[in-house]
Amino acid sequence: MPHTQQQFASDNYAGICPEAMRAMDEANRGSAQAYGDDPWTMRAADAFRATFETDCELFFVFNGTAANSLALAALCQSYESIIASETAHVETDECGAPEFFSNGAKILVARGESGKLTPEAIRAFALGRTDIHFPRPRAVTITQPTETGQVYSLEEIRDIARTCRELGLRLHMDGARFANAIESLGCSPADMTWRAGVDVLSFGGTKNGMAIGEAVLFFNRALANGFDYRCKQAGQLASKMRFLSAPWAVMFETGAWRANAAHANACARHFADQVAGLPGVDILFPVQANAVFLKLPPEITAALHERGWIFYSFIGDSARFMFAWDSDRTRIDALVRDLRDVTGADAAGTNLSYART
């Protein structure tokens, strides 16, 4: 079949990166024990623990919805609740899976402009009602980077974690694009997670260049009790586990997980630099990872679609553009040229810098 021209609607559009493909090919040679009792899974587990500098408990699952939902279910009872941002993926895009797998735990939604939770919002929910008629808050989930493409600073994470400790709440991090946040902050995985006070991390591999697979890391190992049974019950225990774990091992060992994220982030900055100042185009949120949100007039949106560009209308009725490990600068520049054309920037003599990042 002919190749489809590259689009920037989602980083899930990207293919499998060479390191992940090579790992799967190598894992496919010969046979290995099933359900995680194989050398590849042990090698990946060692790579995780070395990368995070701690003896965490970890599990491999097929996708992000399972990673988030099962992790949150492990943190609370059915009569308890989870505090999240109103734009959190667990609230808007997981079809009620966190509530389903927790047997009914309620998500309490905090409103905000940036997609970030704050200690004040957490405290308001935790202390607002304490009567038996209200689902007792037990967990907090933050997305890093957020659904608006912004990144919590280390201090912001520490402040949230301190608030959680004061209130007896457990802290989960949805890291579907964890590597992009690491590259944005230039910090270590340990500093952004357990050293900052995070109890559990859902670490995304799919958006980082893998075919499939996410990891759930419990830094508080006691919270992982029974999680293997949760995975089995939820259909998340892979019999040929090595095909989920092998890409992790090679991507950690080669550094591809960070290189992929660095490229995606740089492409997002490059695109944002080129469209800033175009007539009628506003960048809605600071570009801190691999996402760019543009506020476009309806006629500009329609014109781009007519030229074959695919993108989603997202938060704040914006156009979201996502960049991945394989984003091609020539395609990005083609999109920029079309944006300039449909906005009339060239006719208006708009002067833009085409400096590369």
Side-chain angles (χ1 to χ4, degrees), residues 33-101:
Q33 287 181 264
Y35 300 109
D37 292 326
D38 63 90
W40 279 105
T41 300
M42 295 176 191
R43 180 172 156 186
D46 288 342
F48 267 103
R49 291 173 180 132
T51 300
F52 282 84
E53 306 173 63
T54 189
D55 186 26
C56 55
E57 191 72 79
L58 70 142
F59 303 86
F60 298 103
V61 297
F62 292 108
N63 55 45
T65 294
N68 288 336
S69 302
L70 293 174
L72 290 170
L75 301 185
C76 58
Q77 299 293 327
S78 60
Y79 52 83
E80 294 177 322
S81 57
I82 302 152
I83 301 170
S85 163
E86 65 177 336
T87 59
H89 200 267
V90 298
E91 164 64 11
T92 64
D93 291 286
E94 295 186 359
C95 198
E99 295 93 328
F100 176 82
F101 284 110

Side-chain angles (χ1 to χ4, degrees), residues 231-266:
C231 290
K232 174 62 179 178
Q233 187 181 60
Q236 294 294 318
L237 178 63
S239 57
K240 297 183 180 181
M241 183 76 75
R242 66 190 185 278
F243 294 108
L244 290 184
S245 60
W248 288 105
V250 173
M251 288 180 71
F252 277 131
E253 291 164 3
T254 61
W257 73 285
R258 293 197 66 154
N260 287 351
H263 175 78
N265 289 5

Side-chain angles (χ1 to χ4, degrees), residues 5 96 138 182 215 234 243 252 284:
Q5 282 194 308
R138 185 57 169 162
I182 288 291
F243 294 108
F252 277 131
L284 285 188

